[in-house]
Amino acid sequence: MKRLDLLLGERELGPICAALRTSGAPGYSVMRHVTGVGKGGEVQESMEMSGYGANAHVIVFCEAEVLEQIRAALRPLLSYYGGVGFVSDAQPL
Amino acid sequence: MKRLDLLLGERELGPICAALRTSGAPGYSVMRHVTGVGKGGEVQESMEMSGYGANAHVIVFCEAEVLEQIRAALRPLLSYYGGVGFVSDAQPL
Amino acid sequence: MKRLDLLLGERELGPICAALRTSGAPGYSVMRHVTGVGKGGEVQESMEMSGYGANAHVIVFCEAEVLEQIRAALRPLLSYYGGVGFVSDAQPL
Amino acid sequence: MESGLVLQNLVSPPVLFFFLGMLAVLVGSDLEIPAPLPKLFSLYLLLAIGFKGGLELQHSGLGGQVTLTITAAVLMSMLVPLTSFLILRSRLDTYNAAAVAAAYGSISAVTFITAESFLTVLHVQFDGFMVAALALMESPAIIVGLLLVKLAVPPETNSGRPIGWPALLREAFLNGSVFLLMGSLVIGYLVAAFSPAGLEKMDPFINKLFYGALSFFLLDMGIVSAQRLHDLRRAGPFLIGFAVAAPLVHAAVGLVVARALSLPQGDALLFMVLCASASYIAVPAAMRMTVPQANPSLYISTALGVTFPFNIVVGLPLYMAMVQRWIPAG
Amino acid sequence: MESGLVLQNLVSPPVLFFFLGMLAVLVGSDLEIPAPLPKLFSLYLLLAIGFKGGLELQHSGLGGQVTLTITAAVLMSMLVPLTSFLILRSRLDTYNAAAVAAAYGSISAVTFITAESFLTVLHVQFDGFMVAALALMESPAIIVGLLLVKLAVPPETNSGRPIGWPALLREAFLNGSVFLLMGSLVIGYLVAAFSPAGLEKMDPFINKLFYGALSFFLLDMGIVSAQRLHDLRRAGPFLIGFAVAAPLVHAAVGLVVARALSLPQGDALLFMVLCASASYIAVPAAMRMTVPQANPSLYISTALGVTFPFNIVVGLPLYMAMVQRWIPAG
Amino acid sequence: MESGLVLQNLVSPPVLFFFLGMLAVLVGSDLEIPAPLPKLFSLYLLLAIGFKGGLELQHSGLGGQVTLTITAAVLMSMLVPLTSFLILRSRLDTYNAAAVAAAYGSISAVTFITAESFLTVLHVQFDGFMVAALALMESPAIIVGLLLVKLAVPPETNSGRPIGWPALLREAFLNGSVFLLMGSLVIGYLVAAFSPAGLEKMDPFINKLFYGALSFFLLDMGIVSAQRLHDLRRAGPFLIGFAVAAPLVHAAVGLVVARALSLPQGDALLFMVLCASASYIAVPAAMRMTVPQANPSLYISTALGVTFPFNIVVGLPLYMAMVQRWIPAG
Ligand SMILES: Nc1ncnc2c1ncn2[C@@H]1O[C@H](COP(=O)(O)O)[C@@H](O)[C@H]1O
Ligand SMILES: Nc1ncnc2c1ncn2[C@@H]1O[C@H](COP(=O)(O)O)[C@@H](O)[C@H]1O
Ligand SMILES: Nc1ncnc2c1ncn2[C@@H]1O[C@H](COP(=O)(O)O)[C@@H](O)[C@H]1O
Ligand code: NA
Ligand code: NA
Ligand code: NA
């Protein structure tokens, strides 16, 4: 089983979650109000008040095959809007 | 060393954290205001205002033996109320 | 590639993030309003209102060499102020 | 007359902001009132309505219709889940039928508050003790809902942990909103009795701000209930029909009871609204804990996505017209 | 005269709290107003300013200068991005030039609100329809900004997904702040027309609280804009110069237009402020979605870190002095 | 007389809501006021109390007892940690003794504000400059606490990073609450001096809302301090005894000083409350940074779980009775 961590702008959550659903993810969890630093510079909490938005952290636990689907669906979104994704191994409790 | 990620309803945090403590977890961390999708359907932010509550994300880093205790203590809670748990490997920094 | 999870007091975020930047982390993400239990006892949400502050969760994805730098930079901070760090494996999506 | 009431209701700020919130979702605006800001308004409204109820109770005393009315309200909150359960059970399993039934036996504080504002704009009097009825109708409905599950499900089927009564009673009687409402009622009573200076200093916070805060909160309620609309597809036409018919029937029963109790017009409307409204705060919290087998999207969506807007928009003027027709004016 | 205006502005509570917020950052205090509290104030201010604008519009009617003034405002919000783009393009790439240009064509609601408060303290009248101009200036600026990108970048270069017009128009016309402002305007109009009782009950929330809430919000704006200051190093002197020169030039053009339209003094100042201010709410949201190639730290930092404080502190009294010099008093 | 004071205090809305919050925790209700809403109220109260203090200071001028009283208050905030340290050191290690001592030298703004409200209800006058004393008592207590650690712990033992004086002074003088209080005081002074129109427009926000917001905030403080109660087991009887005895002794010393300074009754009560209260905001922040070896559950629990409720519930009427006995009425 795999674990996927996505970090991206909260304003892109809509299309990202839609892509997760259509790719067959059995579930996902979203944490908002995330700040951070990446290639696109710094995202501060005050960007939440401006319409720019802060970041979100999305976690998906799924099988390796589903992950392939997700990868294919997310890549264009992440490369257009920014945001990163990382994969590690996991097992159900 | 093991890492346990729990995703569950924030209203079940009380018994879950109590179970972690009695199972010998050396520590744990809780993030609230988590939304997501799982077997039980979608949990939205607006459920926080209704008394239903949003989700919580609990992280526990512990030794493999302790994890066994935790697993035994949490299983009935998770199967009755819903919520998921996943395990991966980790080492202290 | 490595994944580092830090859990520490939000009031130490300033020096911790500065240390991450100078150690060459390619990016990091911060979640605040974290509660939890550790060696230093329990950190509750109400500590946010008191100036003591709640915890923060910092995630860093980076190469193993960078992690060495980070480890060296963070150790004294974590041992002085409290807070924990754990490492696992990861790959980019 | 009735069309005047409809207009009066539709052009009131709370209802207009409720529409604005619904519209935001329907046209796809990204307007949102991020958590926990809605909680601020809901806590404030409960505190203020409780406090006001308490001080009015102190002024009017506990005699007369008070005890009878409150008893009738509590009985209604036990009767409604029973009849609702019988109807719902024809299409839903026991768990879901009981959860929806409990929601409709219980009340919606925001609907009640909006009704009070509606009466104020119409210059119709009402009594403070109705807030006590509001506070006392949540718990019995929850308990009846759970008894229904207990009785209808053979114990061996009800897999998993048995329902723990202490936890359940705590949930029914001490959940945050009931507790804050009752506590503020008592505080309002005490302050009115013993501290006129304190009363006066609370006035701007409790009274002056109230209407605006209600309007702001209804903006959020509009957003939230419109977000629920697409869950309704899963609920299906039977449940949607129930969510519209139930308030009508329960309001009519409430009217009969109110007339039998000789309640004045304002109290009669509030009594009808208590019967007609459904809970989306205390009941979901209790059901999640005690009947996790029930699907929250069913009982939250019907109460919040259909019955709540129906009562706010259509119900208030309709019930008022019924009141004006059947209840003699003061 | 001018020094009187400067003083009047500098000792007003909103501006003093703005300074206090900036000072907190500059001296390294840990004062913070945690999210989402600032959002509460910004939603409240939009709702209140819209509601007040709507009711004033209802009182004054739609005749006279209303249509002309609003048309002129919309034209300004399309013209400013065009001229700004030409200037900015000399140093920035197309994406960044277009994004900054759109921000300066659009408006800052808080600057506008602070200008209204400034006028109230000076006892200068202004009209409610100016709020409609405010609401209508965000969308055209956004669309012009995107057309600039479309036209200036050869389609094959504009790698990745094409800009989806439906999503873009939704962003331009239905983003939360524009939607809430316009909705509250309409609600204020309707309530003023049909529900005088509702109007009166909204008054404490809408009017009495307003000035204090603005002051509290400006404390946060001071913190936020000072935090932006260190991003300015990356912006460089050209962009910083633009962020100071643009409001001056646009205010001057606004003054000429206001005079040509024979606007009274108060409306003239507001018109100038609309032209002079730059958006850091609706525009960043739209640019992120449609021109992600642009660097947000450039357009947010200039609008929020330079132009906003400049307008609040220096601009308001300066523009008012220009108004008093060139626009005949009522 | 004294029983009248006790009753007056117990039936005031702030104290009743404080009880309600404690009760919620004790009976196991799930009532909560989620973060960051309590922060909204605490920021608002600091801003309002500072602003009011500033304008009263402007009205009364800086002459007379002002300088002497403030100097005495600052001296008390340095003396109290010294004597407390000597007592605490008998049972606690240096770090914890110093941290608790600093908390008791410093002040609790909410206790002060509740005392002001108590005086208002009793129609007893007090002076605006007492807010300045409040603001100036946090920093010295923090610095004395740290000097105690520096002096008592041999440098080689104090492992890890040395305490950085610049960071420490910033924490002592510029932490958010001290900064906001002082800043608002200065703003209130300036606005009162130069902008009467601004003053009037701030009034509803600053004054009318105040009492209700305080009551709401004390509801949360009740929850928070009751949650601290079970930490007290770890604190042990010595520390709990200290947390009750310290306010009594410090209030008595404060009374003697107030009489020596010939303060009027209202100011004398406030002076006693400043001496008697303990900090759970600025001091924990500073101690975490500079004495991380100290256990926060000790100093937060005693200040917040014992001394705060003791002062609010028992202390206020008791100190007022002492004032009425020993300080001649105006
Ligand atoms: N190496 C990383 N480790 C953790 N978080 C990251 C990393 N890189 C980027 N992020 C997060 O992802 C967001 C978007 O990244 P980017 O598109 O690279 O700016 C950043 O604001 C961070 O919150
Ligand atoms: N596969 C998954 N990956 C990530 N989060 C999940 C997953 N499944 C469930 N969750 C989270 O756990 C919550 C409860 O899950 P469930 O009990 O399956 O409805 C959901 O609302 C999600 O937030
Ligand atoms: N074993 C653990 N697993 C997860 N989180 C932990 C663990 N230990 C500590 N933490 C988190 O780190 C914070 C600081 O830890 P400590 O310095 O040990 O008190 C705690 O408040 C927890 O939020
Ligand atoms: Na009902
Ligand atoms: Na502009
Ligand atoms: Na003290």
Side-chain angles (χ1 to χ4, degrees):
Chain A
M1 195 153 204
K2 294 290 180 184
R3 169 202 179 112
L4 170 62
D5 285 273
L6 297 165
L7 292 149
L8 46 91
E10 61 178 353
R11 295 193 67 95
E12 279 90 65
L13 268 178
I16 292 280
C17 292
L20 290 175
R21 273 189 293 247
T22 56
S23 311
Y28 58 83
S29 296
V30 178
M31 276 158 276
R32 288 174 59 182
H33 317 296
V34 179
T35 55
V37 166
K39 283 206 204 75
E42 186 164 3
V43 173
Q44 303 170 345
E45 210 178 53
S46 65
M47 283 180 172
E48 253 176 311
M49 197 222 47
S50 96
Y52 192 79
N55 286 335
H57 179 195
V58 180
I59 308 179
V60 191
F61 291 96
C62 63
E63 297 303 330
E65 310 86 73
V66 175
L67 186 65
E68 287 313 306
Q69 307 274 2
I70 293 177
R71 190 198 313 266
L74 294 190
R75 273 241 172 105
L77 282 165
L78 293 180
S79 77
Y80 187 68
Y81 289 119
V84 294
F86 296 94
V87 178
S88 26
D89 291 316
Q91 306 110 250
L93 179 66
Chain B
M1 196 154 202
K2 293 290 180 185
R3 169 200 179 113
L4 169 62
D5 285 274
L6 298 164
L7 292 149
L8 45 91
E10 60 178 354
R11 295 193 68 96
E12 280 91 65
L13 268 179
I16 292 279
C17 291
L20 290 176
R21 271 189 292 246
T22 55
S23 311
Y28 57 83
S29 296
V30 179
M31 277 158 276
R32 287 174 60 180
H33 317 297
V34 179
T35 55
V37 166
K39 283 208 204 72
E42 186 163 2
V43 173
Q44 301 170 347
E45 210 178 52
S46 65
M47 284 180 171
E48 251 176 312
M49 197 223 45
S50 95
Y52 193 79
N55 287 335
H57 180 195
V58 181
I59 308 179
V60 191
F61 291 96
C62 63
E63 296 304 329
E65 311 85 73
V66 175
L67 186 65
E68 287 313 307
Q69 308 273 2
I70 293 178
R71 191 198 312 267
L74 294 191
R75 274 242 174 104
L77 283 166
L78 293 181
S79 76
Y80 186 68
Y81 288 120
V84 294
F86 296 94
V87 178
S88 25
D89 291 314
Q91 307 109 252
L93 179 67
Chain C
M1 197 156 201
K2 293 290 180 185
R3 169 201 178 111
L4 170 62
D5 285 273
L6 297 165
L7 292 148
L8 45 91
E10 61 179 353
R11 295 194 66 96
E12 280 89 66
L13 268 179
I16 292 279
C17 292
L20 289 176
R21 272 190 293 248
T22 54
S23 312
Y28 57 82
S29 296
V30 178
M31 277 158 279
R32 289 175 58 181
H33 316 297
V34 179
T35 55
V37 166
K39 283 208 205 74
E42 187 164 1
V43 173
Q44 303 170 346
E45 210 177 52
S46 65
M47 283 179 171
E48 253 176 311
M49 197 222 46
S50 94
Y52 193 78
N55 286 335
H57 180 194
V58 181
I59 308 179
V60 190
F61 291 96
C62 62
E63 297 304 329
E65 310 84 73
V66 176
L67 187 65
E68 288 313 306
Q69 307 275 0
I70 293 177
R71 191 197 312 265
L74 295 191
R75 273 239 173 106
L77 283 166
L78 293 181
S79 77
Y80 187 67
Y81 288 120
V84 293
F86 296 95
V87 178
S88 25
D89 290 315
Q91 306 110 251
L93 178 67
Chain D
M1 185 74 229
E2 202 176 309
S3 81
L5 288 175
V6 170
L7 183 69
Q8 279 288 351
N9 190 47
L10 289 189
V11 298
S12 73
V15 173
L16 287 171
F17 278 106
F18 182 73
F19 281 137
L20 189 64
M22 292 197 96
L23 187 66
V25 175
L26 298 179
V27 300
S29 165
D30 63 354
L31 179 63
E32 70 159 351
I33 302 182
L37 300 182
K39 190 92 189 183
L40 173 67
F41 288 94
S42 75
L43 290 170
Y44 164 76
L45 292 174
L46 290 170
L47 188 155
I49 192 95
F51 192 89
K52 285 198 276 187
L55 74 91
E56 285 158 17
L57 205 55
Q58 201 276 330
H59 289 326
S60 66
L62 275 161
Q65 297 154 309
V66 177
T67 327
L68 257 182
T69 308
I70 289 179
T71 312
V74 169
L75 288 177
M76 281 301 293
S77 75
M78 296 164 74
L79 186 72
V80 165
L82 290 175
T83 54
S84 300
F85 181 75
L86 292 180
I87 294 163
L88 291 161
R89 194 63 192 79
S90 69
R91 298 289 182 90
L92 303 177
D93 65 35
T94 309
Y95 300 118
N96 282 306
V100 176
Y104 281 82
S106 183
I107 49 75
S108 152
V110 184
T111 311
F112 180 86
I113 292 170
T114 313
E116 282 200 356
S117 293
F118 184 51
L119 289 172
T120 319
V121 169
L122 296 176
H123 300 291
V124 177
Q125 302 280 342
F126 52 87
D127 284 304
F129 64 76
M130 293 306 292
V131 174
L134 168 77
L136 293 171
M137 284 176 78
E138 298 235 47
S139 320
I142 290 171
I143 290 171
V144 170
L146 291 164
L147 283 174
L148 287 170
V149 174
K150 278 252 185 213
L151 298 176
V153 179
E156 66 276 20
T157 328
N158 190 348
S159 69
R161 303 143 42 90
I163 302 169
W165 279 102
L168 159 58
L169 291 175
R170 202 177 57 207
E171 200 66 45
F173 288 104
L174 296 174
N175 78 71
S177 56
V178 172
F179 183 85
L180 180 56
L181 196 57
M182 286 301 292
S184 305
L185 191 96
V186 172
I187 290 177
Y189 190 95
L190 291 174
V191 171
F194 300 110
S195 174
L199 202 59
E200 197 190 316
K201 293 185 74 185
M202 287 298 276
D203 179 70
F205 186 73
I206 294 289
N207 285 314
K208 296 283 186 296
L209 271 191
F210 193 78
Y211 201 66
L214 173 63
S215 301
F216 199 142
F217 185 58
L218 279 174
L219 175 65
D220 183 63
M221 291 298 295
I223 295 174
V224 167
S225 54
Q227 282 170 343
R228 286 279 144 200
L229 287 180
H230 91 270
D231 274 9
L232 285 178
R233 268 170 303 158
R234 236 173 298 164
F238 170 73
L239 213 47
I240 297 177
F242 178 84
V244 172
L248 289 172
V249 174
H250 297 152
V253 177
L255 179 66
V256 172
V257 176
R259 207 186 137 97
L261 292 168
S262 314
L263 291 184
Q265 289 198 339
D267 294 355
L269 180 80
L270 295 179
F271 195 90
M272 290 171 73
V273 163
L274 288 177
C275 297
S277 69
S279 166
Y280 41 84
I281 297 207
V283 168
M287 293 300 129
R288 135 163 240 154
M289 199 186 74
T290 49
V291 196
Q293 299 90 341
N295 180 351
S297 75
L298 293 188
Y299 52 92
I300 298 183
S301 300
T302 45
L304 193 54
V306 182
T307 303
F308 177 73
F310 178 82
N311 277 326
I312 294 287
V313 178
V314 181
L316 285 185
L318 178 63
Y319 308 156
M320 194 63 213
M322 290 161 73
V323 161
Q324 288 178 341
R325 175 88 181 69
W326 297 101
I327 303 276
Chain E
M1 185 75 230
E2 201 175 311
S3 81
L5 288 174
V6 169
L7 183 69
Q8 279 288 352
N9 189 48
L10 289 189
V11 297
S12 74
V15 173
L16 287 171
F17 278 106
F18 181 74
F19 281 136
L20 188 64
M22 292 197 95
L23 187 66
V25 175
L26 298 180
V27 300
S29 167
D30 63 355
L31 179 64
E32 70 159 348
I33 302 182
L37 300 181
K39 190 91 189 183
L40 172 67
F41 288 95
S42 74
L43 290 170
Y44 164 76
L45 292 174
L46 290 171
L47 187 154
I49 192 97
F51 192 89
K52 284 198 275 187
L55 75 90
E56 285 158 17
L57 205 54
Q58 200 277 330
H59 289 326
S60 66
L62 275 160
Q65 296 154 309
V66 177
T67 327
L68 257 182
T69 307
I70 291 180
T71 312
V74 170
L75 288 178
M76 281 302 292
S77 75
M78 296 164 74
L79 186 72
V80 164
L82 290 175
T83 53
S84 300
F85 182 75
L86 292 179
I87 294 163
L88 291 161
R89 193 66 190 78
S90 69
R91 298 290 182 90
L92 303 177
D93 64 35
T94 309
Y95 299 117
N96 282 307
V100 177
Y104 281 82
S106 183
I107 50 74
S108 152
V110 184
T111 312
F112 180 87
I113 291 170
T114 313
E116 282 200 357
S117 292
F118 184 52
L119 289 173
T120 318
V121 169
L122 296 176
H123 301 291
V124 176
Q125 303 280 341
F126 54 86
D127 284 303
F129 65 77
M130 292 307 292
V131 174
L134 167 78
L136 292 171
M137 284 176 78
E138 298 234 47
S139 319
I142 290 171
I143 291 172
V144 168
L146 291 164
L147 283 175
L148 288 170
V149 174
K150 278 253 184 213
L151 297 176
V153 178
E156 66 275 22
T157 328
N158 190 350
S159 70
R161 304 143 41 89
I163 302 169
W165 278 101
L168 158 58
L169 291 175
R170 202 175 58 207
E171 199 67 44
F173 288 104
L174 296 173
N175 79 69
S177 56
V178 173
F179 183 85
L180 180 57
L181 196 57
M182 286 300 294
S184 304
L185 191 97
V186 172
I187 290 178
Y189 190 95
L190 291 173
V191 171
F194 299 110
S195 174
L199 202 58
E200 198 190 314
K201 293 184 74 187
M202 289 297 278
D203 180 69
F205 187 74
I206 294 289
N207 284 316
K208 297 283 184 298
L209 272 191
F210 192 79
Y211 201 67
L214 174 62
S215 301
F216 199 141
F217 186 58
L218 279 174
L219 175 64
D220 183 63
M221 293 298 297
I223 295 174
V224 167
S225 55
Q227 282 170 342
R228 285 279 143 198
L229 286 180
H230 90 271
D231 274 9
L232 285 177
R233 267 170 303 156
R234 236 174 298 164
F238 170 72
L239 213 46
I240 298 178
F242 178 84
V244 172
L248 290 172
V249 174
H250 297 152
V253 176
L255 179 65
V256 172
V257 176
R259 206 186 139 99
L261 292 167
S262 314
L263 291 183
Q265 289 197 340
D267 295 355
L269 179 80
L270 294 179
F271 194 91
M272 290 171 74
V273 162
L274 289 176
C275 297
S277 69
S279 166
Y280 42 82
I281 298 206
V283 167
M287 293 300 130
R288 136 164 237 153
M289 200 186 72
T290 48
V291 195
Q293 300 90 343
N295 180 351
S297 75
L298 293 187
Y299 52 91
I300 297 183
S301 301
T302 45
L304 194 55
V306 182
T307 303
F308 177 73
F310 178 82
N311 277 325
I312 294 287
V313 179
V314 181
L316 285 185
L318 178 62
Y319 307 155
M320 193 64 211
M322 290 161 74
V323 162
Q324 288 178 339
R325 176 87 180 70
W326 297 99
I327 304 276
Chain F
M1 185 73 229
E2 201 175 313
S3 82
L5 287 175
V6 170
L7 182 70
Q8 278 288 352
N9 188 48
L10 289 189
V11 298
S12 74
V15 173
L16 287 171
F17 278 106
F18 181 73
F19 281 137
L20 189 63
M22 292 197 96
L23 187 66
V25 175
L26 298 179
V27 300
S29 166
D30 63 354
L31 178 64
E32 70 158 349
I33 301 182
L37 300 181
K39 190 90 190 185
L40 173 66
F41 289 94
S42 75
L43 290 170
Y44 164 75
L45 291 174
L46 289 171
L47 187 154
I49 193 95
F51 193 89
K52 285 198 276 190
L55 75 90
E56 285 157 16
L57 205 54
Q58 200 276 329
H59 289 326
S60 65
L62 276 160
Q65 296 153 309
V66 177
T67 326
L68 257 183
T69 309
I70 291 180
T71 311
V74 169
L75 288 177
M76 281 302 291
S77 74
M78 296 164 74
L79 186 72
V80 165
L82 290 175
T83 54
S84 300
F85 181 76
L86 293 179
I87 295 162
L88 291 161
R89 195 63 191 81
S90 69
R91 296 290 182 91
L92 303 177
D93 65 34
T94 310
Y95 299 117
N96 282 306
V100 177
Y104 281 82
S106 183
I107 49 77
S108 152
V110 184
T111 311
F112 180 87
I113 291 170
T114 312
E116 282 200 355
S117 292
F118 184 53
L119 289 173
T120 318
V121 169
L122 296 176
H123 301 290
V124 176
Q125 302 280 343
F126 53 87
D127 284 303
F129 64 75
M130 293 306 292
V131 174
L134 168 77
L136 292 171
M137 283 175 80
E138 297 236 47
S139 319
I142 290 171
I143 290 172
V144 170
L146 291 164
L147 284 174
L148 287 169
V149 174
K150 279 254 184 210
L151 297 175
V153 179
E156 65 275 20
T157 326
N158 190 349
S159 69
R161 304 143 44 87
I163 302 170
W165 277 102
L168 159 58
L169 291 176
R170 202 176 57 206
E171 200 67 45
F173 287 104
L174 296 174
N175 79 70
S177 56
V178 172
F179 184 85
L180 180 57
L181 196 57
M182 286 301 292
S184 305
L185 192 97
V186 172
I187 290 178
Y189 190 96
L190 291 174
V191 172
F194 299 110
S195 173
L199 201 59
E200 198 191 314
K201 294 186 74 187
M202 288 299 276
D203 179 71
F205 186 75
I206 295 290
N207 284 316
K208 297 284 185 296
L209 273 191
F210 192 79
Y211 200 67
L214 173 63
S215 301
F216 200 142
F217 185 59
L218 279 175
L219 175 65
D220 183 62
M221 292 298 296
I223 295 173
V224 167
S225 55
Q227 283 170 342
R228 285 280 144 200
L229 287 180
H230 90 270
D231 273 11
L232 285 177
R233 268 170 303 158
R234 233 172 302 163
F238 170 72
L239 212 46
I240 297 177
F242 178 84
V244 173
L248 289 172
V249 174
H250 298 152
V253 177
L255 179 66
V256 172
V257 176
R259 206 186 139 97
L261 291 168
S262 315
L263 290 184
Q265 289 197 340
D267 294 354
L269 179 80
L270 295 179
F271 194 90
M272 288 170 76
V273 163
L274 288 177
C275 297
S277 68
S279 166
Y280 42 82
I281 297 205
V283 167
M287 293 301 131
R288 137 164 239 152
M289 198 186 75
T290 47
V291 195
Q293 299 91 341
N295 180 351
S297 76
L298 293 187
Y299 52 91
I300 298 182
S301 300
T302 45
L304 193 54
V306 182
T307 303
F308 177 73
F310 178 82
N311 276 327
I312 294 286
V313 178
V314 181
L316 285 186
L318 178 62
Y319 307 156
M320 192 64 211
M322 291 161 73
V323 161
Q324 288 177 341
R325 176 87 182 68
W326 297 100
I327 304 276

